[in-house]
Amino acid sequence: MKRVGVLALQGAFIEHEKMLSSLGADTVEIRQLRDLDGIDALVLPGGESTTCGKLLKDLGIMSPLREMLNNGLPVFGTCAGEILLAEKIDGKSSDYLATVPIDVKRNAYGRQLGSFNTVSEFKGIGEVPMTFIRAPYITSVGDGVEIKACVDGKIVGAEYNNELAISFHPEISGETSIHRYFLEKMVR
Ligand code: GLN
């Protein structure tokens, strides 16, 4: 059974755990460095990227985790998780994980009316429902990044080697196909 860590410092981690369990994965909540031992993959849920980023640094998880990702640990980041993975945030170099060569714009759809549902194509899967909650979108991608999804001409999903980053929340809309894609195509 695949053992998937879910960062459980803050945000929508329970929903990810339920979805991963429903797909037959074993989940482990990551709250400290040693929880990362023995995982086959990691999920970074949505929440607040500034809070989560600060906690990752304060708990001494940030640098070791960055090294694990650079060494090939499969990771799936949604919304704030995508922000933690981005090399640049609003045009500036990130000091979070920064392992995916993308630039993200935070709260890109506005703060008040920034939540909406839509349906759009996800490359390799087909049409999927997408729930956005004060979401970022991706303003540029570097070499080797595969664009997986766009909504209204904005990039909302990207894959880079062992890393998948999306702007929306399949764990909240109940859409299992992207978690299944991650588990089947990216986690060995
Ligand atoms: N707006 C949040 C941030 O900038 C992300 C929102 C979310 O994860 N749903 O971190």
Side-chain angles (χ1 to χ4, degrees):
M1 199 184 242
K2 287 166 184 169
R3 191 174 160 83
V4 182
V6 180
L7 190 68
L9 299 176
Q10 190 259 346
F13 54 90
I14 307 259
E15 290 81 357
H16 278 287
E17 287 168 24
K18 285 187 187 149
M19 190 155 278
L20 292 161
S21 303
S22 81
L23 294 170
D26 206 6
T27 62
V28 43
E29 293 186 349
I30 308 295
R31 293 208 166 81
Q32 53 188 331
L33 186 56
R34 69 159 184 265
D35 297 334
L36 293 168
D37 290 351
I39 57 170
D40 301 310
L42 178 68
V43 169
L44 302 174
E48 197 55 43
S49 54
T50 43
T51 309
C52 222
K54 183 179 184 315
L55 288 169
L56 283 172
K57 284 185 210 162
D58 291 352
L59 293 163
I61 301 177
M62 191 76 87
S63 304
L65 178 54
R66 185 182 301 120
E67 203 175 312
M68 289 170 77
L69 300 184
N70 284 331
N71 287 335
L73 180 74
V75 66
F76 177 23
T78 59
C79 204
E82 171 179 273
I83 296 170
L84 293 174
L85 291 172
E87 254 178 24
K88 285 187 170 181
I89 302 170
D90 296 324
K92 295 187 209 72
S93 293
S94 163
D95 61 354
Y96 300 144
L97 294 163
T99 49
V100 179
I102 54 176
D103 190 343
V104 295
K105 181 171 161 60
R106 284 187 67 202
N107 298 310
Y109 298 94
R111 280 175 186 271
Q112 299 304 321
L113 298 169
S115 301
F116 61 97
N117 295 304
T118 188
V119 175
S120 194
E121 171 83 13
F122 193 91
K123 212 169 149 199
I125 297 178
E127 297 270 299
V128 296
M130 299 179 180
T131 297
F132 291 80
I133 304 170
R134 294 183 304 109
Y137 58 64
I138 298 169
T139 52
S140 67
V141 302
D143 285 350
V145 175
E146 185 188 0
I147 294 171
K148 301 297 288 184
C150 291
V151 167
D152 295 334
K154 309 294 187 195
I155 305 167
V156 296
E159 184 173 327
Y160 179 67
N161 303 325
N162 51 311
E163 305 184 81
L164 181 64
I166 64 173
S167 299
F168 52 96
H169 290 273
E171 79 288 3
I172 287 172
S173 60
E175 173 58 38
T176 53
S177 60
I178 299 175
H179 285 73
R180 180 175 291 121
Y181 171 89
F182 176 65
L183 289 173
E184 289 178 0
K185 299 271 165 50
M186 298 179 69
V187 185
R188 283 164 220 294

